[in-house]
Every structure is written in C-alpha cells, then in structure tokens.
Amino acid sequence: MNLPLCHHRLYPFRFALLLTCIFAGCTDKPVIPITADIQASSGQNQDYFNYAVDNLNHLSKFGPRQILNQTIDRLNQWNRIEQPQTNWELDPLLSTLPEIFQTGPLIASLGDETFNNYDGIYLRECALVDSVADYATLNSTDNVTAARDLFEWVVAHIALDPEPPADATQTAQLPWQTLLLGHGTQVDRAWLFALLARQLDLDVVLLYLPRSSRADRAASLTLWAVGVLNNGEIYLFDPSYGLPLPGPDQSIATLTDLQQNPELLRVWDTKEKPYWVTDDLVSQVVPFVEASPQSLSRRMKSVQTALGSQNRMRIFSNPSRSADAFDAIDQLPRPRIWPWPYLAARILANPDNKDRSRIARELQQYGKFLTGEVNPLWAGRLQQLAGRYTTQIEGIPRRERDAPIGEKGAKPLLLASRTMLQKLPQEDIPAEAKQQVEFFYKRADVIRRDATRHLATIAMDEGNYPLALYYLDQTDKQQNASSWPTDAVKLSTTMARGRVAEAAGELSEAIQQYGNVSGPEQDEAVQRIRQIESKRAAEKS
C-alpha cells in the first residue's frame, strides 16, 4: 500500500518526497543480514535469532507492525533449524482458571513450536515493558525501592480512567496499548505494574476483595491492591488511589502490617468518603498471579532460554513457581492464575465490541504513513518510554536533523509531531493517501495534545517545571479547541499540575491544584494533600 515514487502523476511524488524531507532518515530497514537467507550454517542460524532480538531493541526505527512479521519469520527459521530443547510443559496452575478459559485457540496453541502473529505483538510488548523497567529503576537501591519507583512511574504516566458502570459493556486494553496511550483503568495500571515488576524478577500478586456496588446486589470480587513479595513480606500498592498502602511510621504497608493492625486502613478515611476496605475484609483477600497466555508457551520458553543470562528481558512466566513463593510465607491462600488477561483477549477479539473502534482510533494516529515513513509520534513515544530524550547519533558525526529516526530523541520527535500537519499538503492529495491524510487532519488536535502532554512529562522528569507547566497549558488549549473531535478522550491536566508543583517544592500551589482534581484521580489527590499537610505539621513541631 506504500505510495510509489514513480507514480504517473507528479503530485504523489511531491507528497511522498515532502514526507521524506520532513522526517529525514525514517526509512530504516529491518536489521536482517542478507547472508542469513543464503545458508543455514550454525553461526548464520544464530543470526536469525540475534537479529530478531536486535530489532525488538530498536522498535522506534520501524512502524508499529513493520517489523513484527520479519521478527516472527526469523524466529521460525531459527526454530526449524535449531530445534531447541526446552523441557517445556503446560503449567499446572492453568487448571485454576475458570473452565471457560481452559480451552480455545489460545490454550491449544501453547504447545505449538511455530511462532504466530500474536507472539510478535507479545514480544514487542515485552521489549517495551523491559525498556520502561530499566529506565524507571535507574536509581533504585533495593527491591522495595524498585517496586515503589515502578509504581510511581505507572501512576505518573498512566492517567486513571473512570471505571465503567457495572451494567456497561465490558472493555479492555492490552498493556502495550496502555503504555502507548498513557491512560487506563486501575486494572490496566495493575496489569502494567505486574509486567514491569516481572522484568526485575519480582514476584507480584493481585489481591481482590469481595465488594458490592449496591446493598441489594451480591458481592463480587474487586481489585484492591498489587502486592510485591520481598524477604517474606508482601508490600502493598493501591492502583486506584495511586499510592502505596500506608504502613507504620509512613512506611509502605505489608499484608502482615494490615493483618496485625487493620486500623492502618483508616488512615485513608475522610469525612466525605471512608476508605472502602473495612477491617474484616483483609482476612478475605483472594490472590492471583499474572500469566498471560503467550507467556506460558513453549515458544517463549525457547526464546527465554536462548536469550541466556546476558539479556534480562523476561518473556516467559512460571506462575506455579510464583505461587509457591507466596505459599511459602503462609499469609495467603495459594494464588490462582489471574483470569483478566484471558477475558481481555476475548473482549478484544469480539467484533461486536464497540470499544474496539475507540482503541483503534487512538492507536491509528501512531500508525506508519502510507509513504513508508515512520510516524514521529510513535517513535517519539517509544523513545520517551525508554528514557531516551535526546538524539543519540551512532557512527560518524552528523547533524541531529540528519540522524535516522531510530537515533532521534523523544524531544525532537515529539516536537515534530506537534507541527507535522502544518507541513502536509491539503489539496490534490493522491487517492491512495487521501483517507489517511484526512484522518490525521481530523485528529490534528489529538495528535498535538498527545505529543504535548508527553513533552510535559519529559520536562517534569528533567526538573524543568516552568516548561512542564507551559506544555500542560498547551495541552489544555488543544483539548479545548473548537475543532476537537467529539469522539476523542480528554485527559485532565490538573493532577499533573499538582505533581509539578509538589516536585518543585511549591506546596501551597500543589495543595490548590490537588484540591481542584475531580473524577477518578480525586482519591489520590485528597491523600496527597493530607500527606503534604502532615509533613508541614511535622516540620513545625
């Protein structure tokens, strides 16, 4: 579907050339050696594997789907020749899933040796999550600190969506979609946090409690907290409140703390809204471990084994081993496999699910251009997630503007995203590109909004708080434009303004901004105000 530069009309050539000039260096090719196609010697067979993995480490060079088929093809070539022996078996903890999820194509394919398209999407997700985990824990000193840093990264980068009504059609999004879009429900936050923690070899449990939305309805299991195991204790984080559970002396609460002193839960009570977890509920906790279907497959075990100890990326999960670790401390019933990833897969596969179109629209603005150029919004977001903010030029010295897109930093790419539509033609668009260009113009404010709010997050991360506020102002300006699409999701910047003020030490401003927060992040904002006030009182005494 790419536009040929030798089209019989002149204008399509100019259109393609213009995009090439705007995003110079965007046409990187997959890093796959020609020699690997000629012979299959032992060394060259290893090339199939090495270059598949290398491409996963350079995703910003390629469009969202551009490299996935190539990666799967190379892994299948490697697998056919190498025939790796992995001592794989179906994880027995799968039997703890509801029966409806113990059958079907996903489960039936776990023992297959041939890599499929879903594996490509999963491997890309693992690469994205691994890059975030590396960057988010650069300054972590121990496992508990690392868990806290990962959780704070998730809360700061994933705006909290409201929970859908109980009688609404179920919706779902995958962790890589949550990463890319930058917003999700508390379940999306918890899922992403669990995957990030896995990259650090931390054992994580998702804790559910019985809860009823109405007095006349039976209680159903509701996500409460995510627990991280360390030295025989489970440290607790609430993805809805966006904070660690409060423990003794302002520490992170452990499950033991709350079991021995459930009054700690009352720290989050307010006159307007008591914290929903009552003292008696702590003893009714139901634990689950994350084990998405692809992570249990023979194929992922083969890749994980071949990666060896030199590559830390974790793509294979062992839920039975994790359940054993929680069993050993004897604080919980034995965890089961979390059914949500299996339900989410079915929700997203349902063609009647209207939410799929909402996600598709949001993701489409990150798509590769029909001319073959990589979208700078996609590349910039990926570079941001990996903490690569500035251009890193490999090889010979050259100007930043001449660097291939995979070497450009997040900041120049996101800045380009804010202005790219000003440089695109609006008349005489070739038929092949007309639909995509019209889509981009329709979503122009959303594209600029997303690029701008990502730049605000970068500015805050770099400690440039005035610049962060400028970008937040611009974010609101774009969201309030009269041309804003009626079907686009608006994201409040008020919580982010509070974070910026708090990080800058402007505590009165932070209290004011947090006080203005409404919607799903209000609970977190209220607790942050109380933390600031408590800190102030302690400093005065």
Side-chain angles (χ1 to χ4, degrees):
M1 295 179 64
N2 291 354
L3 285 175
L5 294 183
C6 56
H7 199 284
H8 61 83
R9 291 176 58 203
L10 177 62
Y11 193 82
F13 170 80
R14 291 170 53 207
F15 177 78
L17 181 61
L18 179 59
L19 279 177
T20 302
C21 293
I22 294 171
F23 311 118
C26 291
T27 53
D28 293 73
K29 300 298 182 184
V31 189
I32 298 172
I34 296 175
T35 54
D37 287 324
I38 300 174
Q39 300 182 46
S41 66
S42 175
Q44 287 165 339
N45 185 43
Q46 187 61 34
D47 283 346
Y48 289 133
F49 182 85
N50 290 342
Y51 284 97
V53 172
D54 187 67
N55 285 327
L56 290 173
N57 291 328
H58 296 87
L59 290 171
S60 61
K61 291 184 177 182
F62 314 109
R65 298 192 62 85
Q66 180 182 355
I67 198 59
L68 299 189
N69 290 339
Q70 297 273 12
T71 299
I72 292 306
D73 287 345
R74 297 300 157 171
L75 287 175
N76 278 325
Q77 289 172 304
W78 165 78
N79 190 64
R80 282 194 297 270
I81 298 169
E82 192 73 18
Q83 296 183 351
Q85 302 301 308
T86 60
N87 193 29
W88 174 89
E89 62 179 8
L90 202 63
D91 195 290
L93 207 66
L94 274 169
S95 63
T96 64
L97 280 171
E99 287 188 15
I100 190 175
F101 300 130
Q102 293 186 34
T103 57
L106 278 176
I107 301 300
S109 68
L110 293 182
D112 292 351
E113 296 183 353
T114 302
F115 290 84
N116 58 54
N117 291 336
Y118 294 107
D119 293 333
I121 295 171
Y122 173 72
L123 286 167
R124 181 182 64 189
E125 179 176 274
C126 290
L128 293 176
V129 169
D130 182 51
S131 65
V132 171
D134 274 345
Y135 180 69
T137 57
L138 281 175
N139 299 316
S140 305
T141 56
D142 54 49
N143 286 344
V144 176
T145 304
R148 183 202 64 200
D149 291 345
L150 287 179
F151 185 76
E152 289 181 352
W153 188 97
V154 169
V155 171
H157 288 76
I158 309 301
L160 187 62
D161 289 340
E163 291 296 316
D167 55 354
T169 302
Q170 282 190 303
T171 62
Q173 60 189 39
L174 300 176
W176 71 268
Q177 296 169 335
T178 300
L179 270 178
L180 196 62
L181 302 179
H183 64 87
T185 65
Q186 65 159 337
V187 171
D188 297 323
R189 279 181 168 184
W191 194 357
L192 178 57
F193 177 59
L195 297 188
L196 288 168
R198 179 184 294 158
Q199 294 302 319
L200 303 184
D201 293 325
L202 299 175
D203 287 310
V204 171
V205 65
L206 297 110
L207 302 176
Y208 278 68
L209 294 172
R211 186 182 190 185
S212 177
S213 58
R214 286 186 359 200
D216 60 343
R217 290 190 176 182
S220 58
L221 288 179
T222 299
L223 178 64
W224 166 41
V226 185
V228 176
L229 181 61
N230 185 66
N231 291 334
E233 296 292 347
I234 303 172
Y235 292 81
L236 303 175
F237 302 83
D238 187 320
S240 177
Y241 272 61
L243 294 164
L245 270 292
D249 301 321
Q250 300 182 338
S251 64
I252 300 175
T254 66
L255 188 59
T256 300
D257 291 332
L258 299 186
Q259 288 171 337
Q260 293 179 350
N261 183 13
E263 279 299 308
L264 288 168
L265 292 166
R266 307 281 60 85
V267 172
W268 279 356
D269 285 349
T270 66
K271 186 181 299 184
E272 297 77 17
K273 185 179 180 181
Y275 186 51
W276 72 276
V277 181
T278 55
D279 300 357
D280 60 308
L281 280 180
V282 177
S283 62
Q284 303 177 49
V285 68
V286 179
F288 296 94
V289 291
E290 201 284 338
S292 303
Q294 269 77 24
S295 74
L296 300 172
S297 72
R298 180 192 300 273
R299 303 175 298 283
M300 296 308 145
K301 179 72 178 291
S302 298
V303 174
Q304 189 74 77
T305 302
L307 284 173
S309 59
Q310 299 304 310
N311 191 316
R312 200 196 69 183
M313 183 167 65
R314 297 291 178 255
I315 63 175
F316 180 74
S317 66
N318 189 336
S320 288
R321 186 210 57 76
S322 187
D324 289 343
F326 285 102
D327 252 357
I329 64 172
D330 198 27
Q331 295 180 21
L332 294 166
R334 181 173 175 79
R336 295 176 277 170
I337 286 184
W338 193 33
W340 175 249
Y342 298 80
L343 177 58
R346 295 198 177 202
I347 292 172
L348 292 171
N350 181 3
D352 297 327
N353 178 15
K354 295 180 180 179
D355 194 54
R356 293 204 322 172
S357 60
R358 186 269 304 173
I359 295 176
R361 281 193 303 273
E362 287 196 74
L363 294 176
Q364 193 174 348
Q365 64 204 39
Y366 291 85
K368 189 175 74 169
F369 298 122
L370 289 179
T371 53
E373 312 304 323
V374 176
N375 189 328
L377 183 61
W378 161 264
R381 179 60 168 160
L382 264 56
Q383 294 289 64
Q384 179 202 359
L385 293 174
R388 294 189 285 266
Y389 297 160
T390 57
T391 298
Q392 303 296 318
I393 298 178
E394 301 173 359
I396 61 173
R398 54 193 153 178
R399 294 174 301 175
E400 178 179 286
R401 62 173 293 178
D402 297 328
I405 197 165
E407 295 176 21
K408 290 182 185 292
K411 289 193 286 188
L413 287 166
L414 293 171
L415 285 169
S417 301
R418 295 185 72 211
T419 59
M420 67 178 179
L421 293 178
Q422 298 171 10
K423 303 176 183 180
L424 291 179
Q426 299 188 49
E427 298 177 355
D428 299 323
I429 299 170
E432 298 93 327
K434 187 176 180 62
Q435 184 177 2
Q436 187 182 53
V437 171
E438 287 179 348
F439 170 82
F440 278 122
Y441 274 116
K442 184 178 179 181
R443 305 284 292 188
D445 289 315
V446 187
I447 292 170
R448 283 192 284 266
R449 187 278 308 269
D450 284 346
T452 305
R453 69 188 180 97
H454 297 329
L455 285 166
T457 303
I458 291 173
M460 181 178 172
D461 193 29
E462 294 182 327
N464 192 339
Y465 304 121
L467 184 60
L469 290 174
Y470 166 78
Y471 282 132
L472 290 174
D473 288 341
Q474 292 299 305
T475 298
D476 281 338
K477 181 179 179 181
Q478 280 132 21
Q479 291 188 137
N480 294 323
S482 59
S483 53
W484 182 264
T486 56
D487 60 356
V489 175
K490 288 188 177 183
L491 299 170
S492 173
T493 63
T494 312
M495 191 72 194
R497 292 175 187 277
R499 295 185 201 281
V500 170
E502 186 176 1
E506 299 174 0
L507 301 185
S508 295
E509 176 67 16
I511 289 173
Q512 180 178 340
Q513 292 294 340
Y514 287 145
N516 292 332
V517 172
S518 59
E521 293 179 317
Q522 187 174 34
D523 291 331
E524 178 190 353
V526 168
Q527 297 305 325
R528 288 192 178 275
I529 290 174
R530 297 176 76 179
Q531 288 179 354
I532 292 173
E533 292 174 340
S534 176
K535 182 179 178 181
R536 279 179 161 179
E539 290 173 349
K540 289 180 179 179
S541 61

